[in-house]
Amino acid sequence: MADIGIKEIAAKANVSIATVSYVLNGTRNVRPKTRERVLRVIEEMNYKPNNAAQSLKRKRTNTIGVIAEDVTVFNVPEIIDGINDCADKLDMHILLTNLRLDKRISRNFDQVDSYRSFAANAVSELLSKQVDGIIYIGIHPRDLTGLFDTYGKPIVYAYCYTQNDVSLQYNDEQASYDAMAHLVKQGHKRIAVITGMMDSIPSRLRFNGFYKAIMEYNLPFDPQLMKMGNWEAESGYRLTMELLELNEPPTAILAMNDVMAVGVLRAAAEVGVLIPRELSVIGFDNREFSEYLIPRISTMDLPLHEIGYQAMESLALLIKGEPIPNNPLPNCKLIERDSVAPPLRL
Amino acid sequence: MADIGIKEIAAKANVSIATVSYVLNGTRNVRPKTRERVLRVIEEMNYKPNNAAQSLKRKRTNTIGVIAEDVTVFNVPEIIDGINDCADKLDMHILLTNLRLDKRISRNFDQVDSYRSFAANAVSELLSKQVDGIIYIGIHPRDLTGLFDTYGKPIVYAYCYTQNDVSLQYNDEQASYDAMAHLVKQGHKRIAVITGMMDSIPSRLRFNGFYKAIMEYNLPFDPQLMKMGNWEAESGYRLTMELLELNEPPTAILAMNDVMAVGVLRAAAEVGVLIPRELSVIGFDNREFSEYLIPRISTMDLPLHEIGYQAMESLALLIKGEPIPNNPLPNCKLIERDSVAPPLRL
DNA sequence: CTGTTAGCGCTTTCAT
DNA sequence: ATGAAAGCGCTAACAG
């Protein structure tokens, strides 16, 4: 393709560059014959409009910046996929920035200052690139208010919270409520929960859903059945051991993520408790590995694709200056597999 | 930030726009005092050069296009991470295109025509965006020669092959040889292999490594020990069953991916064969789930990050018109976990 | 050391 | 229905 521009096309088609521009953009009526001639030349010479020039003129790049805290963390690729899915339809492009946060600060999200500069730099470069807007993808749902300033550029946050901008999450409360409902429907009454770190928003939301189910289904509210984990498999293992030693152990465990559910499996295997016959387990996140475990565990699937899709939709609206409709939070979906069964009749 | 450009800066700093440009780019000596004044104004007004204008002028965008066949397939995020890691250092940016191939055509890679247009479109848009080069990330190593034309723009392929362009893979042969060596060192002699689809390049390469180890270590070459799988867990399961029914069953199995290794685990569990005590297993790919299985399986880790990093390095060289050094294929790394032990003494 | 100015490739107003 | 020409915000001769 090289260096052919609108000028070359105009010359070869015997029209002015303006006309070429008109047929290119459909901005004005062009005599069909002329139009076809131009189109043919464009085709022949394999001409592609120079987007840098267009952007300069139009003050619009049709490109958004996506800042991912870490593309290698499980939730991010699906969200990007959703963004992409929608961006394709809107003819938008994606400038991707990867903060590599997981490698750089691991899980120390509280040390905001250690990554604020990464984020601010990313925004700065994106702004320089004249993106029409920005989507920020978190790797852990938390409040990110005030992380950086976009100087008026539209931004939407996905998989995290913020007070002054649009942010997309999913319905954590409904998710754990649904998981509980499923267990209850199987006949379970003594259901234990292993939470994530309680300083995390999803942990608290999921606990709310758990609690709501306890109340609505009139289940025994037994503090011994509520264990605080830390998202890691080891905590699932340890707390399951404790649960199994109870005088009246639970017949089912709701683990707030699939990783801790692995710990439940390990503990059960070690003590010789059969899953799901003697103990049901349900996880959270629908991580890839959850279906490769033995037994394959039932889990709550996160609407990641939809979060990405909606984030892009909302951003497009923001860019056009239109109001964002108040969408309900997308729901999680129960994936039924082999780790849940009715409790053993006594 | 809005509409402040170099002109506003120049005015406020009492210099010409040229001078502003000079301090911005360090293209020419500027009197320190002037320089500082300009810098201060830039800072104050939070000015960011308009990249569209720069690109138009410089005929260089410092942006590369990355075409990912599918960002949700396991190998892709790590490769993107590697590209990013390197791109950051070179001050390059990434325009990401996601072909969503896994959703659109699943695994029917042979029907090239069904996705050629997706790929060609992606290239076309990237070219229009004036990217300096392109990296194409495959989701399955195969020959992609002639998939599309980049009209002279530099391109490098990652995780796939091509005959006329630079492409980055990893050393499959060494990987399976190393896996075998590890098994041999533990004392295994009767080692079975469960291959992937034999129309796939990695399958054949991995088989070569397996065969080389058989020869070099003088292991029995027993056709009964070589099973052709299809990458899926079910085939791992079925073939393991066959292997276990042999008069003289293997003491170790090399599965050509972790998914089939799951099948091995399931079969062993079903027949009551203890892993690793009675049967050792080693997988391939170091998929996330491999460390959550019970037992955690040993596996070969793919140098995905490095492939991405090298792809970016090579592309940068190509862009500068410099020759690509002939790097050796990056190696896979054995991840030792709990699925390998010395064979039972008879 | 600093300023003037001619484009980069396009869109769009204003003429015709 | 078409064209001429004025920029978009910047870089880089060229001139002083």
Side-chain angles (χ1 to χ4, degrees):
Chain A
M1 63 154 247
D3 303 53
I4 60 169
I6 202 171
K7 247 187 315 205
E8 282 72 25
I9 303 297
K12 195 137 187 226
N14 270 312
V15 291
S16 73
I17 62 164
T19 303
V20 178
S21 178
Y22 298 145
V23 339
L24 231 35
N25 302 299
T27 351
R28 222 142 81 177
N29 280 338
V30 175
R31 191 148 47 92
K33 251 182 69 179
T34 322
R35 177 192 177 65
E36 254 176 59
R37 184 154 32 94
V38 172
L39 251 18
R40 195 156 30 76
V41 177
I42 286 177
E43 174 74 13
E44 269 171 25
M45 310 193 62
N46 201 279
Y47 163 73
K48 311 244 184 303
N50 180 324
N51 212 281
Q54 293 182 314
S55 299
L56 183 55
K57 195 81 237 224
R58 301 211 254 241
K59 296 184 171 313
R60 199 160 184 299
T61 52
N62 277 323
T63 300
I64 63 153
V66 170
I67 303 178
E69 291 194 327
D70 197 312
V71 293
T72 65
V73 171
F74 85 98
N75 65 305
V76 176
E78 270 316 332
I79 293 180
I80 292 181
D81 190 66
I83 295 174
N84 237 300
D85 193 5
C86 182
D88 272 0
K89 288 170 187 153
L90 302 173
D91 197 30
M92 287 281 202
H93 292 224
I94 291 173
L95 212 36
L96 179 71
T97 308
N98 182 13
L99 262 25
R100 314 191 75 227
L101 232 53
D102 202 43
K103 276 96 181 169
R104 311 220 244 212
I105 65 154
S106 180
R107 294 271 140 179
N108 307 313
F109 297 123
D110 45 324
Q111 298 162 37
V112 176
D113 285 319
S114 64
Y115 59 93
R116 164 173 282 128
S117 64
F118 295 138
N121 272 341
V123 171
S124 189
E125 304 208 314
L126 255 16
L127 255 25
S128 190
K129 285 266 176 202
Q130 310 301 116
V131 295
D132 297 333
I134 294 175
I135 295 178
Y136 186 97
I137 309 175
I139 48 178
H140 186 71
R142 60 203 200 284
D143 192 323
L144 251 27
T145 304
L147 219 209
F148 47 69
D149 188 354
T150 64
Y151 301 95
K153 269 275 185 265
I155 181 165
V156 354
Y157 292 80
Y159 209 78
C160 49
Y161 295 79
T162 176
Q163 288 164 37
N164 310 316
D165 297 287
V166 180
S167 63
L168 272 327
Q169 305 88 26
Y170 56 92
N171 199 336
D172 259 316
E173 197 170 318
Q174 158 272 338
S176 64
Y177 180 87
D178 282 4
M180 289 293 284
H182 179 242
L183 257 11
V184 169
K185 236 158 264 159
Q186 298 288 313
H188 291 278
K189 289 195 171 9
R190 282 190 70 75
I191 306 175
V193 63
I194 298 181
T195 76
M197 294 280 266
M198 286 308 281
D199 62 353
S200 110
I201 298 180
S203 271
R204 293 198 295 263
L205 256 19
R206 289 172 191 182
F207 192 84
N208 290 349
F210 166 80
Y211 184 76
K212 191 173 155 218
I214 293 280
M215 291 295 114
E216 289 197 6
Y217 289 108
N218 277 308
L219 303 181
F221 178 82
D222 183 346
Q224 289 187 299
L225 260 27
M226 295 167 217
K227 297 289 189 181
M228 305 235 256
N230 63 5
W231 301 124
E232 305 296 334
E234 181 280 330
S235 68
Y237 170 86
R238 180 170 37 83
L239 297 170
T240 301
M241 285 303 203
E242 295 182 14
L243 252 10
L244 260 18
E245 280 166 8
L246 253 30
N247 284 334
E248 217 183 328
T251 61
I253 297 180
L254 172 61
M256 283 198 191
N257 74 6
D258 288 338
V259 175
M260 294 192 296
V262 169
V264 176
L265 257 41
R266 290 214 181 112
E270 194 168 314
V271 196
V273 167
L274 261 48
I275 292 177
R277 214 175 111 72
E278 300 171 281
L279 180 69
S280 288
V281 188
I282 185 159
F284 237 103
D285 293 349
N286 191 20
R287 292 283 284 272
E288 182 187 47
F289 63 80
S290 62
E291 88 161 287
Y292 291 113
L293 298 174
I294 310 175
R296 299 149 63 242
I297 60 172
S298 296
T299 183
M300 297 304 300
D301 180 54
L302 273 26
L304 266 10
H305 183 89
E306 195 173 348
I307 287 177
Y309 199 98
Q310 286 196 16
M312 183 67 243
E313 275 185 327
S314 301
L315 185 58
L317 255 23
L318 240 32
I319 291 172
K320 287 199 284 186
E322 289 172 19
I324 310 289
N326 221 330
N327 287 327
L329 287 181
N331 280 342
C332 295
K333 208 174 74 229
L334 174 69
I335 306 289
E336 290 191 53
R337 287 200 279 245
D338 313 327
S339 64
V340 174
L344 233 43
R345 295 263 112 243
L346 301 178
Chain B
M1 62 153 247
D3 304 53
I4 58 170
I6 202 172
K7 247 187 316 205
E8 282 71 24
I9 304 297
K12 196 138 186 225
N14 271 312
V15 291
S16 73
I17 61 163
T19 303
V20 177
S21 176
Y22 298 144
V23 341
L24 232 33
N25 303 298
T27 352
R28 223 141 81 178
N29 279 339
V30 175
R31 190 149 49 94
K33 249 182 74 182
T34 321
R35 177 193 177 65
E36 253 176 60
R37 184 153 34 95
V38 173
L39 251 17
R40 194 156 31 75
V41 177
I42 287 178
E43 174 73 15
E44 268 171 26
M45 311 193 62
N46 202 282
Y47 163 73
K48 310 245 186 303
N50 181 326
N51 212 282
Q54 292 182 316
S55 299
L56 184 56
K57 197 78 243 234
R58 302 210 253 240
K59 298 182 170 313
R60 200 161 186 298
T61 53
N62 276 324
T63 300
I64 63 153
V66 169
I67 302 178
E69 292 196 325
D70 198 311
V71 293
T72 65
V73 171
F74 85 98
N75 65 304
V76 176
E78 278 300 344
I79 293 180
I80 292 182
D81 190 67
I83 294 174
N84 236 300
D85 192 6
C86 182
D88 272 0
K89 287 171 188 151
L90 301 173
D91 197 30
M92 286 282 203
H93 293 227
I94 291 172
L95 211 35
L96 179 71
T97 307
N98 181 14
L99 262 24
R100 312 191 73 228
L101 231 54
D102 202 41
K103 276 98 183 168
R104 311 220 245 211
I105 66 157
S106 179
R107 293 271 140 181
N108 307 312
F109 297 121
D110 44 325
Q111 299 162 36
V112 176
D113 284 318
S114 64
Y115 60 93
R116 165 174 282 128
S117 65
F118 296 137
N121 272 341
V123 171
S124 189
E125 304 210 313
L126 255 16
L127 254 26
S128 191
K129 284 266 176 201
Q130 310 300 116
V131 296
D132 297 334
I134 293 176
I135 295 178
Y136 186 97
I137 308 177
I139 48 178
H140 186 71
R142 60 202 199 282
D143 192 323
L144 250 27
T145 305
L147 218 209
F148 48 69
D149 187 355
T150 63
Y151 302 95
K153 270 276 184 265
I155 181 165
V156 354
Y157 292 80
Y159 208 78
C160 48
Y161 295 79
T162 178
Q163 288 164 38
N164 310 315
D165 297 288
V166 180
S167 63
L168 271 327
Q169 304 88 26
Y170 57 92
N171 199 335
D172 259 315
E173 196 170 320
Q174 159 270 338
S176 64
Y177 180 88
D178 281 5
M180 290 293 285
H182 179 242
L183 257 13
V184 169
K185 237 158 263 159
Q186 301 286 313
H188 292 278
K189 290 194 172 5
R190 282 190 69 75
I191 305 176
V193 65
I194 297 180
T195 76
M197 295 280 267
M198 286 307 281
D199 62 353
S200 109
I201 298 179
S203 272
R204 294 199 295 266
L205 258 18
R206 289 172 192 183
F207 192 83
N208 290 350
F210 165 80
Y211 184 75
K212 192 173 154 215
I214 293 280
M215 291 296 114
E216 289 198 6
Y217 289 108
N218 278 309
L219 304 181
F221 178 82
D222 183 346
Q224 290 187 300
L225 260 27
M226 294 168 219
K227 298 288 189 182
M228 305 235 255
N230 63 6
W231 299 125
E232 304 297 333
E234 181 280 330
S235 68
Y237 171 85
R238 179 170 36 84
L239 298 171
T240 301
M241 285 304 202
E242 295 182 16
L243 253 10
L244 260 17
E245 280 164 9
L246 255 28
N247 284 335
E248 218 184 328
T251 61
I253 297 180
L254 171 62
M256 282 198 191
N257 75 6
D258 289 339
V259 175
M260 294 191 297
V262 169
V264 177
L265 257 39
R266 290 214 181 112
E270 194 169 314
V271 197
V273 166
L274 260 49
I275 292 177
R277 213 176 112 74
E278 300 171 279
L279 180 70
S280 287
V281 189
I282 183 159
F284 237 103
D285 294 349
N286 191 21
R287 291 284 283 273
E288 183 188 47
F289 63 78
S290 62
E291 89 160 286
Y292 291 112
L293 298 173
I294 309 174
R296 298 151 64 242
I297 61 172
S298 297
T299 183
M300 297 304 299
D301 180 55
L302 272 28
L304 265 12
H305 183 90
E306 195 172 349
I307 287 177
Y309 199 99
Q310 285 195 16
M312 183 67 242
E313 274 185 328
S314 301
L315 185 58
L317 256 23
L318 238 35
I319 290 171
K320 287 198 284 184
E322 289 174 21
I324 310 288
N326 222 329
N327 288 326
L329 286 180
N331 280 343
C332 294
K333 208 174 72 225
L334 174 70
I335 307 289
E336 290 192 53
R337 288 201 277 245
D338 312 327
S339 64
V340 174
L344 233 43
R345 296 262 112 244
L346 302 177

